[in-house]
Amino acid sequence: ATVNLRALTSWVGIARLFAIVLSCLTFSLVASTGNFGGPYGTWCMFTWCFCFIVTLLVLLLELLELYPVLPLSWDDFTSAFSMLAALMVFTSSVVFPSTFISSPCNSNHCARQAVATTASCLCFLAYATEVGLTRAKPGDISSFLSTVPGLLKVFEAYVACLIFSLLDEYNKESGLMWCVAVYSICFIFTLLIIIFTIGRCLTYIPCPLDKMLVGYNLLALLMYITATVLWPLYSFRGRTRPNSCGRNCSWDKHLGVTFLTIFNLIAYFVDLVYSSRMIFI
C-alpha cells in the first residue's frame, strides 16, 4: 500500500474529515447524556455511528490507495454513500431535538443535547458539501450515481424507507394496499439499480440501459401519481384528527406518508426529466 496524502488535503477529503469529527462528537455527547432510548433515539445513534465508521473506512482506503482492489465501482459507492449519509444525518438532526430536547433548556444535560444537535446539523452540511464536490459535471456520465439521476435514485430509495417506517393500518382498504404495493415495487427496482451500478453488473442487462431507465422512471412516476391520489383519499375519508393524537398516532403517520409520497413523486418526475435530457438531448 502507498500513502496518498491528497485523500486528506483535497476539498473532498477535508469535508470527510469534518464529517468524521462531527459525527463522533455528536454520538459521544448523546451517549454521555444516557438519554437516547426508544426507536427514535436508537435510529439517531445508529445513523451517527454508521456514518462515522463508513466515512473513516472510506478515508483510510483512499489514503492507503487500497480501494482499487475492491470488486465495486468506487466512485459510485462513495457518491451513493455521501448522499445517503446526508439524508440520514439530516433526518436525525430533525428527529433528535424534536423528540428528546424539552423546553425550557436550562440544564447541563439539555445543553449537551443542544450541542449534539448543532454538531449533527454541521455534519449534514459536511456530507452535503461532499455530494456537491463529487457530483458529476454536465456531460460526464462515467459515474452514474454521481449524476443527478443517480443521486435521485438514492433519495427515492431513502424516502421509500421512511414511508415503510410510518405505514400503519393499511390492510383494511384496497386502495391503501395498492399504494403499499407501489412503494414496495418502486423501492425494490430502485435499490436493484443502485446495487447493480455499484457492483458493475449493469453490463449484463440484455437491453439498452439508458432507455430502460427512462421507461422505468415513467412507469414509477405514473404509479406514484396513483398513490398520491389514493393514499390521502382512503386515509382521511370521513376521518378527522383525534384530540388525543399522541406521538404514535395513526392519523399523523398517514399524514407523514402523504407528504413523503409527494416528495417521491417530485423526485421521480425530476429523475425522468434529467434522464430524458441525458439520452435524447
Side-chain angles (χ1 to χ4, degrees):
T2 58
V3 177
N4 178 20
L5 292 179
R6 182 166 174 76
L8 300 178
T9 58
S10 65
W11 287 114
V12 175
I14 293 172
R16 288 171 178 163
L17 284 173
F18 271 105
I20 290 172
V21 173
L22 290 168
S23 58
C24 180
L25 175 64
T26 303
F27 72 71
S28 298
L29 285 171
V30 174
S32 69
T33 65
N35 183 22
F36 53 89
Y40 295 113
T42 302
W43 161 255
C44 293
M45 283 295 286
F46 167 77
T47 294
W48 297 317
C49 294
F50 171 75
C51 293
F52 168 78
I53 293 171
V54 177
T55 307
L56 181 61
L57 183 61
V58 167
L59 204 59
L60 288 176
L61 288 173
E62 291 204 347
L63 178 65
L64 300 177
E65 293 191 340
L66 295 176
Y67 64 90
V69 303
L70 300 176
L72 50 83
S73 174
W74 184 251
D75 290 338
D76 285 308
F77 170 74
T78 53
S79 297
F81 169 72
S82 60
M83 182 64 175
L84 176 64
L87 293 170
M88 293 176 66
V89 173
F90 174 78
T91 306
S92 298
S93 300
V94 174
V95 170
F96 179 77
S98 61
T99 305
F100 293 97
I101 297 182
S102 57
S103 181
C105 183
N106 51 13
S107 63
N108 179 265
H109 181 276
C110 184
R112 280 180 285 173
Q113 291 178 322
V115 174
T117 301
T118 304
S120 183
C121 293
L122 294 175
C123 185
F124 159 70
L125 292 178
Y127 281 116
T129 301
E130 182 183 349
V131 172
L133 291 172
T134 57
R135 187 172 70 85
K137 304 301 184 291
D140 181 15
I141 56 174
S142 57
S143 173
F144 172 69
L145 292 182
S146 64
T147 63
V148 173
L151 295 174
L152 285 172
K153 288 287 183 292
V154 180
F155 177 83
E156 292 155 4
Y158 182 74
V159 171
C161 290
L162 294 181
I163 290 175
F164 294 145
S165 69
L166 294 176
L167 288 179
D168 188 19
E169 297 182 5
Y170 62 86
N171 54 357
K172 298 178 182 179
E173 297 280 357
S174 58
L176 298 183
M177 293 176 68
W178 161 254
C179 294
V180 174
V182 169
Y183 304 142
S184 302
I185 293 171
C186 293
F187 170 75
I188 291 171
F189 277 95
T190 301
L191 185 62
L192 287 176
I193 291 171
I194 296 172
I195 293 174
F196 282 7
T197 303
I198 295 175
R200 298 175 179 172
C201 300
L202 293 177
T203 55
Y204 299 106
I205 298 178
C207 59
L209 177 63
D210 48 4
K211 293 181 175 58
M212 184 201 73
L213 289 176
V214 172
Y216 164 69
N217 289 332
L218 177 59
L219 179 61
L221 177 64
L222 294 175
M223 294 175 70
Y224 259 89
I225 289 175
T226 64
T228 303
V229 175
L230 294 177
W231 183 268
L233 178 64
Y234 281 89
S235 294
F236 306 116
R237 183 176 55 184
R239 295 179 59 190
T240 58
R241 190 176 188 273
N243 295 327
S244 59
C245 200
R247 182 176 296 175
N248 294 317
C249 178
S250 176
W251 197 94
D252 285 351
K253 290 183 178 180
H254 281 245
L255 183 63
V257 172
T258 301
F259 281 104
L260 291 173
T261 302
I262 296 173
F263 292 158
N264 246 2
L265 174 67
I266 297 172
Y268 276 110
F269 174 74
V270 177
D271 195 353
L272 177 62
V273 172
Y274 268 91
S275 298
S276 301
R277 287 175 58 86
M278 288 173 62
I279 295 171
F280 301 111
I281 300 178

